[in-house]
Amino acid sequence: MSSSDPKPGPKPGPWPPAPESSPMPPSTWAKRTGFRPKFSGETTASHSGQLSLPASARATPSETHPDLEAGQPPLRPPPVSAGEQDKAKNDKPQPQPPSAAAPVKRRRDSDGGRSNGPDGGGANGSVRRQNRIEETVEVLPQSMADDDLVARNLHMKYGLRDTPGLVPIGFYGLQHYLSMLGSLILVPLVIVPAMGGSHEDIANVVSTVLFVCGITTLLHTSFGSRLPLIQGPSFVFLAPALAIINSPEFQGLNGNNNFKHIMRELQGAIIIGSAFQAVLGYSGLMSLILRLINPVVVAPTIAAVGLSFYSYGFPLVGKCLEIGVVQILLVVIFALYLRKISILSHRIFLIYAVPLSLAITWAAAFLLTEAGAYTYKGCDPNVPVSNVVSNHCRKYMTRMKYCRVDTSHALRSAPWFRFPYPLQWGVPIFTWKMSLVMCVVSIIASVDSVGSYHASSLLVASMPPTPGVVSRAIGLEGVTSLLAGLWGTGTGSTTLTENVHTIAVTKMGSRRVVELGACVLVILSLVGKVGGFIASIPQVMVASLLCFMWAMFTALGLSNLRYSEAGSSRNIIIVGLSLFFSLSVPAYFQQYGVSPNSNLSVPSYYQPYIVASHGPFNSQYKGVRLRFCLFQNVNLRRVLVNLCKSFVQVNYVMNTLLSMNMVIAFIMAVVLDNTVPGSRQERGVYVWSDSETVTREPALAKDYELPFRVGRFFRWVKWVGI
């Protein structure tokens, strides 16, 4: 159809002009409130903040439309005909290139700055802005199309290899790590009290975690994936750590002996599991496993990690509702309702939601404590509950313990200088049953990291990494987890899932920023008062922040479905089955053999992790032991009995693993996704760069090649390099 036709309209073809009116008018309530959906089929692709195409190149709803919420990659328009080029020139006062690779309009950045574009100026641009209000949304990457990469790069303040000045690096580094404060410090605040550690032990472990996080982040940005990803104690390791802490053999220990003994057991298990992960990466096996790991597998697996801690979250918040609920409300208000408020061109409330809410709630709790709101006559909060004789004081001991902010003496007793050193808790204890549990958990941690590599690379890099780079990064994560085991952090070290959200919000993708922040972490870890200050955070506030962090973790896991067709019945059923059975099967193991009136010795929020003592796997070796007595050779009989005992320890491994939500979700998802037929587009198979792309794209080699020409010595190792 040419421009001279009297009544232009949509002509047959895959890319006809878009109609002037919306094919799906908004509902009545939407008209009244001015609501405009960002990721629905009612809007064009330009509404998502991803890509803006000329009117002649937009698709009608009758055609295959890229649904960004479902995660479909934006389709590339075909070349525009000459008649449509003339029509576009007549309709617009400013000419535009007619090809599909039209300049991508740059949206308003998160800091409020505006960049020029095809619709950025002129009378026609102002009319367009009146007709369609465009807002900034933190859009996670959808695909790896060339135009989409250009649009993402325009939204980033600094790219992967950019080196800002010293002042911007320092500011953005502080911002980056403060936005992830909860992920860095909350895990040790949970596991150390569970091990019976004192406030001084919590302070020492927090300092060790900060030190190891700084060292491992520097190693990862230099010799791992080279992406700006912070390494730390991931929530993936929290459930197995709590399961090991609540093992039956540790119930008889008490006090500091309990803490050090369990920490050494955890160190041994983490060292073996991290060594397995390192072999998995550097041997090239991870390149083969990548074929089984797709968004439909990653999404329910990571979501199950966050959902598994529901029994710990609000039950502990309920110990002091007036403090815990206020903390949750504040972090929700800052992260959602005030997220678009900018101060000095930065979204302060969105980026610093966790530290701001913590500071305000902590100050309010301090004022209530000083005002005597939690002071009761004749009652001392520092006296153990078992030593309290008065019934009046027993009634208020829980309230004083969890609501007061002066019950911890960690800040007062912490030294000004303390250097974390390896084996500070003693020589690790190696038991194969706990080590086997950690080996399985290291696979789950690798799956989590693979999803973070892909999402973050689409945000900050020119192209996704090659399978060799992914294997190299997983291998290095095994090495860094081994360091965490030697130093005694209580958990392994892996890529924090919250990195992707932080990069999308702060628009900061420079690895130099993350490296400078890692150096600051190492320096802060040497100041003992910093660990003491963090250890002084009341436990109710920790639980309140964890409710928000675990919810974020669940949502970030499910966000991986944007790379697949989320509306596909195949994917819906797979994800639904994986999430349901990840909650139902562990509940069966956790409730097996526990009577409703049983009085367990652990708090209610730790009961899901004591399944090893009463799970359905309960093989006995006594009868077999009697039959072994028929052997005349004493040494042979002893070897057979010990071997049988070792096999019986499988009970512990099976009960523990099958009581973990993430393990069940991973097994269900990986089996169903790789056996149920489905196209690559429907499954959303991760697309990694190949060797041909490296040869064709020099920027890819610059993004992921090792520094100091180290890669030249490992060119023969094709499966762990570019």
Side-chain angles (χ1 to χ4, degrees):
M1 182 180 296
S2 64
S3 59
S4 60
D5 293 336
K7 186 179 181 182
K11 77 170 188 176
W15 290 88
E20 296 180 358
S21 60
S22 175
M24 296 178 59
S27 55
T28 305
W29 68 268
K31 289 181 179 179
R32 292 198 304 266
T33 59
F35 171 77
R36 193 172 190 88
K38 290 292 177 187
F39 298 101
S40 68
E42 298 180 12
T43 61
T44 59
S46 60
H47 289 167
S48 67
Q50 291 289 319
L51 187 63
S52 178
L53 298 174
S56 59
R58 295 178 185 148
T60 59
S62 61
E63 300 296 335
T64 303
H65 187 77
D67 187 357
L68 296 184
E69 185 174 3
Q72 293 178 350
L75 301 177
R76 296 190 182 185
V80 185
S81 63
E84 292 174 347
Q85 295 178 19
D86 297 335
K87 180 179 180 298
K89 292 180 180 179
N90 294 332
D91 292 342
K92 296 184 178 182
Q94 296 184 1
Q96 292 192 16
S99 62
V104 180
K105 179 176 61 178
R106 185 174 179 180
R107 304 287 185 197
R108 186 185 299 269
D109 291 335
S110 62
D111 58 358
R114 184 192 301 271
S115 60
N116 296 329
D119 298 335
N124 195 23
S126 40
V127 172
R128 283 173 173 251
R129 287 193 298 272
Q130 293 175 2
N131 295 334
R132 186 181 67 212
I133 301 175
E134 297 176 355
E135 298 177 356
T136 302
V137 291
E138 288 74 23
V139 181
L140 294 176
Q142 304 289 338
S143 68
M144 54 176 292
D146 296 338
D147 295 334
D148 197 28
L149 287 169
V150 174
R152 289 196 306 272
N153 291 335
L154 288 175
H155 283 286
M156 297 301 296
K157 295 177 181 177
Y158 295 99
L160 179 62
R161 289 179 281 115
D162 292 342
T163 304
L166 183 60
V167 173
I169 285 181
F171 174 78
Y172 287 116
L174 179 65
Q175 170 185 274
H176 201 86
Y177 280 84
L178 281 179
S179 64
M180 299 186 63
L181 181 65
S183 304
L184 293 173
I185 67 173
L186 293 181
V187 172
L189 297 182
V190 174
I191 63 173
V192 177
M195 288 188 284
S198 62
H199 295 292
E200 292 76 11
D201 295 327
I202 299 176
N204 294 336
V205 173
V206 168
S207 298
T208 304
V209 167
L210 296 179
F211 180 82
V212 173
C213 285
I215 298 298
T216 55
T217 300
L218 288 173
L219 289 174
H220 191 82
T221 54
S222 300
F223 304 103
S225 69
R226 307 221 66 199
L227 293 168
L229 301 175
I230 299 175
Q231 308 294 296
S234 174
F235 293 126
V236 175
F237 289 95
L238 183 56
L242 291 175
I244 292 176
I245 290 169
N246 291 280
S247 297
E249 55 263 38
F250 301 145
Q251 298 302 320
L253 302 176
N254 55 11
N256 195 40
N257 293 331
N258 190 16
F259 165 74
K260 288 189 175 181
H261 183 78
I262 297 178
M263 178 62 80
R264 291 162 60 197
E265 294 270 4
L266 280 175
Q267 286 182 262
I270 292 170
I271 289 173
I272 298 299
S274 59
F276 172 77
Q277 187 180 16
V279 172
L280 194 68
Y282 286 126
S283 66
L285 292 176
M286 197 63 205
S287 299
L288 302 178
I289 298 177
L290 282 179
R291 303 175 184 177
L292 305 178
I293 301 176
N294 298 312
V296 181
V297 176
V298 175
T301 302
I302 305 307
V305 175
L307 293 174
S308 62
F309 298 107
Y310 68 92
S311 63
Y312 184 93
F314 205 82
L316 195 55
V317 174
K319 300 290 185 180
C320 187
L321 283 174
E322 63 268 29
I323 301 298
V325 172
V326 169
Q327 173 79 74
I328 295 176
L329 290 177
L330 282 176
V331 71
V332 169
I333 291 172
F334 291 156
L336 293 178
Y337 294 97
L338 303 180
R339 71 185 190 277
K340 294 186 179 181
I341 297 179
S342 297
I343 299 177
L344 299 178
S345 301
H346 292 277
R347 296 189 175 185
I348 303 297
F349 295 104
L350 177 61
I351 297 174
Y352 306 113
V354 170
L356 278 177
S357 60
L358 176 62
I360 294 175
T361 310
W362 204 348
F366 175 79
L367 294 177
L368 289 175
T369 302
E370 292 298 318
Y374 307 117
T375 301
Y376 302 94
K377 184 178 180 180
C379 302
D380 187 359
N382 296 318
V383 177
V385 180
S386 58
N387 297 338
V388 177
V389 179
S390 172
N391 292 329
H392 170 74
C393 292
R394 280 181 176 271
K395 180 180 179 181
Y396 297 105
M397 284 304 296
T398 301
R399 187 172 180 82
M400 289 190 296
K401 177 182 177 181
Y402 289 98
C403 294
R404 295 181 66 94
V405 298
D406 57 354
T407 57
S408 173
H409 305 286
L411 180 61
R412 189 183 313 164
S413 60
W416 278 102
F417 177 81
R418 182 183 183 274
F419 183 78
Y421 55 92
L423 307 181
Q424 55 188 327
W425 315 116
V427 180
I429 301 175
F430 299 94
T431 54
W432 77 267
K433 61 178 183 179
M434 297 179 183
S435 301
L436 187 58
V437 170
M438 279 298 177
C439 288
V440 177
V441 173
S442 66
I443 298 178
I444 307 295
S446 301
V447 173
D448 180 18
S449 298
V450 167
S452 299
Y453 296 160
H454 188 269
S456 59
S457 66
L458 294 184
L459 279 170
V460 303
S462 58
M463 296 287 283
T466 63
V469 173
V470 175
S471 296
R472 183 183 73 196
I474 295 299
L476 187 67
E477 282 195 10
V479 175
T480 55
S481 290
L482 193 146
L483 296 179
L486 290 175
W487 260 262
T489 62
T491 62
S493 178
T494 185
T495 299
L496 298 178
T497 308
E498 296 82 354
N499 277 289
V500 180
H501 175 260
T502 301
I503 294 174
V505 169
T506 61
K507 313 296 183 186
M508 175 53 57
S510 174
R511 68 165 67 102
R512 302 302 177 196
V513 171
V514 176
E515 290 172 348
L516 180 62
C519 296
V520 174
L521 277 187
V522 174
I523 296 174
L524 291 177
S525 67
L526 304 179
V527 182
K529 292 295 184 182
V530 173
F533 176 77
I534 296 175
S536 303
I537 301 176
Q539 200 170 3
V540 170
M541 298 183 190
V542 173
S544 302
L545 292 178
L546 284 172
C547 289
F548 176 78
M549 298 302 300
W550 286 331
M552 280 289 300
F553 201 90
T554 302
L556 287 172
L558 292 176
S559 68
N560 284 275
L561 291 175
R562 67 187 179 273
Y563 301 113
S564 65
E565 291 187 3
S568 167
S569 60
R570 172 193 181 275
N571 297 342
I572 289 175
I573 294 174
I574 291 176
V575 174
L577 288 174
S578 301
L579 286 178
F580 176 79
F581 283 106
S582 71
L583 298 175
S584 185
V585 173
Y588 165 74
F589 276 79
Q590 294 163 7
Q591 299 170 10
Y592 186 89
V594 178
S595 60
N597 298 325
S598 60
N599 186 15
L600 299 176
S601 59
V602 298
S604 60
Y605 43 83
Y606 288 144
Q607 291 180 7
Y609 307 105
I610 62 172
V611 67
S613 60
H614 59 79
F617 286 91
N618 191 20
S619 302
Q620 302 292 334
Y621 66 92
K622 295 180 180 179
V624 180
R625 183 179 180 181
L626 292 176
R627 287 194 292 271
F628 285 158
C629 293
L630 300 177
F631 289 94
Q632 299 298 326
N633 192 324
V634 178
N635 294 330
L636 178 61
R637 186 167 64 238
R638 186 179 304 163
V639 170
L640 292 176
V641 170
N642 292 334
L643 182 63
C644 188
K645 287 182 179 180
S646 299
F647 278 109
V648 171
Q649 288 185 354
V650 173
N651 298 337
Y652 178 92
V653 175
M654 297 303 296
N655 287 329
T656 302
L657 288 178
L658 296 181
S659 66
M660 295 182 187
N661 308 73
M662 59 184 178
V663 174
I664 301 299
F666 174 72
I667 294 174
M668 291 287 297
V670 76
V671 171
L672 292 177
D673 185 54
N674 290 279
T675 56
V676 177
S679 64
R680 291 178 60 88
Q681 180 181 1
E682 184 181 17
R683 298 174 62 193
V685 176
Y686 284 137
V687 179
W688 307 101
S689 302
D690 51 18
S691 57
E692 296 180 359
T693 307
V694 175
T695 306
R696 188 174 60 252
E697 298 288 343
L700 180 62
K702 293 180 180 179
D703 286 341
Y704 300 108
E705 64 183 359
L706 295 176
F708 314 118
R709 299 184 179 180
V710 177
R712 295 191 305 173
F713 299 99
F714 299 98
R715 288 181 179 176
W716 57 277
V717 192
K718 298 296 183 182
W719 54 84
V720 292
I722 295 180

